[in-house]
Amino acid sequence: MEWILENVEETSLLHPETFIIPSEQERSTQQPGKLVRLHFLLTNPGEGGPRAERMWVEVTGQDEVSRQYTGILTNAPEYLKTLKPGDTVHFEARHIARTLLREGDPLWLAVGEKLALVSKKCLEPGSAVHWMYRQTPEREQDSGWRLFAGDEDEAYLNNSDHVRLMHVYSIMDKDPSLLEPFKGEIGSAFERESRDGEWKAVRDWVPEEEK
């Protein structure tokens, strides 16, 4: 066979900080019409070529007993020759690397596919985001969001090894409570006192570029 589907659950366990996938509940309850991203691993990748093609599949059904999904490939593969748009693909929750939300979905965000700058302290076990603000984006793929644990000092943040760029939806997969703050406009800022605390808008925060 030219390809196999990547078990993203195993990959996420091996690389928990860099390979973030939707929750098990979300991956197990996809409905017909939803779009999910699967990783098609090439069994014999060419030299200099990719290890996988990451493509979107539209869910068409799910077996009630096996919980296996069926779907239709929506992308045109660049490297795989045995697949084409419209082909049927069988997959399981363990293969879903990303879900795509459409506008109108309660979890949809205008900046969901864009990037945010995240302090690595937010990703440490037992930690979380406590302070976040949105500045004017620096480029097209930048959401403008900057997220912090709240106890970083200037020296820590000045070290580029201590910050990461992450997709907004990937951050939400780790902490769904960020949904409402992420709806904030440029110039918004939010804080909370604890991991489970209520988010509060910070009214007197001024973006750096306006000071």
Side-chain angles (χ1 to χ4, degrees):
M1 192 172 182
E2 187 187 20
W3 56 271
I4 59 172
L5 291 175
E6 181 175 21
N7 184 337
V8 297
E9 291 179 352
E10 292 182 351
T11 307
S12 182
L13 287 174
L14 291 172
H15 309 283
E17 288 193 2
T18 58
F19 195 93
I20 301 170
I21 60 176
S23 68
E24 193 279 333
Q25 180 181 6
E26 182 179 353
R27 288 182 285 110
S28 299
T29 55
Q30 291 296 299
Q31 299 298 312
K34 295 289 188 179
L35 288 174
V36 297
R37 195 182 74 191
L38 310 180
H39 295 177
F40 295 76
L41 299 176
L42 282 69
T43 53
N44 291 296
E47 186 174 348
R51 63 180 286 272
E53 290 212 58
R54 295 161 174 79
M55 298 187 286
W56 293 96
V57 171
E58 181 178 342
V59 177
T60 56
Q62 184 179 30
D63 186 272
E64 294 183 0
V65 178
S66 69
R67 308 305 295 167
Q68 184 182 65
Y69 289 105
T70 55
I72 295 175
L73 186 67
T74 64
N75 292 109
E78 183 176 352
Y79 296 92
L80 295 171
K81 307 304 181 185
T82 56
L83 281 175
K84 63 183 183 301
D87 281 353
T88 297
V89 180
H90 300 278
F91 59 99
E92 300 174 23
R94 62 193 175 98
H95 299 129
I96 298 176
R98 179 77 66 85
T99 59
L100 182 64
L101 301 174
R102 291 191 171 102
E103 189 168 359
D105 188 294
L107 297 177
W108 181 84
L109 288 168
V111 296
E113 295 292 338
K114 298 198 173 200
L115 296 167
L117 186 151
V118 186
S119 163
K120 280 192 173 181
K121 281 202 171 186
C122 300
L123 307 174
E124 294 176 355
S127 187
V129 179
H130 294 93
W131 162 245
M132 58 191 291
Y133 63 82
R134 188 180 183 195
Q135 65 181 41
T136 301
E138 297 178 355
R139 55 191 178 280
E140 175 61 28
Q141 288 303 311
D142 180 17
S143 69
W145 281 109
R146 309 293 183 254
L147 283 65
F148 308 92
D151 59 353
E152 300 91 344
D153 57 26
E154 187 173 353
Y156 181 91
L157 294 175
N158 284 339
N159 186 334
S160 60
D161 291 335
H162 294 159
V163 295
R164 283 188 53 203
L165 286 173
M166 298 177 62
H167 283 95
V168 168
Y169 277 143
S170 294
I171 304 168
M172 266 188 51
D173 288 337
K174 293 178 69 68
D175 186 353
S177 75
L178 293 168
L179 175 63
E180 291 305 317
F182 271 141
K183 294 179 182 178
E185 301 292 334
I186 293 172
S188 299
F190 298 89
E191 64 181 356
R192 61 181 172 181
E193 294 183 359
S194 65
R195 180 186 182 90
D196 300 315
E198 179 182 355
W199 284 106
K200 296 181 180 179
V202 179
R203 305 297 182 187
D204 57 355
W205 178 77
V206 179
E208 188 68 31
E209 60 264 33
E210 295 181 12
K211 291 181 180 179

